[in-house]
Amino acid sequence: MKTIKILLALLPLFLIFPSCSSDDDNDSDNNSQVISQLLGKWKLDGVTVNGGDFEPIPSDDQFIYEFKTGGVITITADFFDDLDDDDVISGTYTVNNNILNVTMDGESLSHTILQITTTSLRLSARMDADEDPGLDDVVFFFTKM
């Protein structure tokens, strides 16, 4: 249940925290390679907050991040297999020097790509993920679908 609270708190944060990025033509090949690896659907398996224990996503819930060509991302939150249109949010993404920037409704959140393989993705972000004041270090663990 704690995981659901964390995840529900995190979803709106894509709309709250602004961030900046810069373009660097020297890294365009690396950026293209990372984007190529990102394309497709990724299921969120769980999170850690401030280096704490791994909090798995309950089996009845799913959070699916779909990275599409053209820099489009959709995030689907499916609780108890009861999906409706309100559970899908769309936005854009960019990659620059292993920083994934996701923008929704004009607000951005930057993630550091800690690991990306053909089957797993691990992202970190600095955000408010709990009831305590201040920002937390959150790591998201994904499996490719």
Side-chain angles (χ1 to χ4, degrees), residues 75-77 82-90:
I75 301 173
T76 305
D82 187 22
L83 184 65
D84 62 37
D85 290 339
D86 293 335
D87 297 331
V88 179
I89 6 178
S90 295

Side-chain angles (χ1 to χ4, degrees), residues 75-129:
I75 301 173
T76 305
D78 186 359
F79 300 103
F80 306 107
D81 295 323
D82 187 22
L83 184 65
D84 62 37
D85 290 339
D86 293 335
D87 297 331
V88 179
I89 6 178
S90 295
T92 60
Y93 70 92
T94 59
V95 173
N96 191 15
N97 296 324
N98 286 330
I99 301 297
L100 169 67
N101 193 49
V102 177
T103 303
M104 296 186 173
D105 288 339
E107 299 295 328
S108 298
L109 179 64
S110 290
H111 302 76
T112 301
I113 300 171
L114 300 175
Q115 174 192 24
I116 186 166
T117 69
T118 57
T119 59
S120 67
L121 173 64
R122 194 171 49 176
L123 304 174
S124 70
R126 187 125 172 91
M127 57 191 358
D128 187 6

Side-chain angles (χ1 to χ4, degrees), residues 12 15 19 28 41 43-44 54-55 67 69 74-75 79 85 88-89 91 101 111 113 120 124-125 132-133 141 143:
L15 307 175
S19 66
S28 63
K41 291 183 179 183
K43 180 181 178 218
L44 181 62
F54 179 79
E55 294 283 338
F67 295 91
T69 58
T74 58
I75 301 173
F79 300 103
D85 290 339
V88 179
I89 6 178
N101 193 49
H111 302 76
I113 300 171
S120 67
S124 70
D132 297 333
F141 296 81
T143 302

Side-chain angles (χ1 to χ4, degrees), residues 8-18 107-109 127-129:
L8 289 175
L10 294 178
L11 279 176
L13 292 175
F14 283 104
L15 307 175
I16 295 173
F17 286 99
E107 299 295 328
S108 298
L109 179 64
M127 57 191 358
D128 187 6

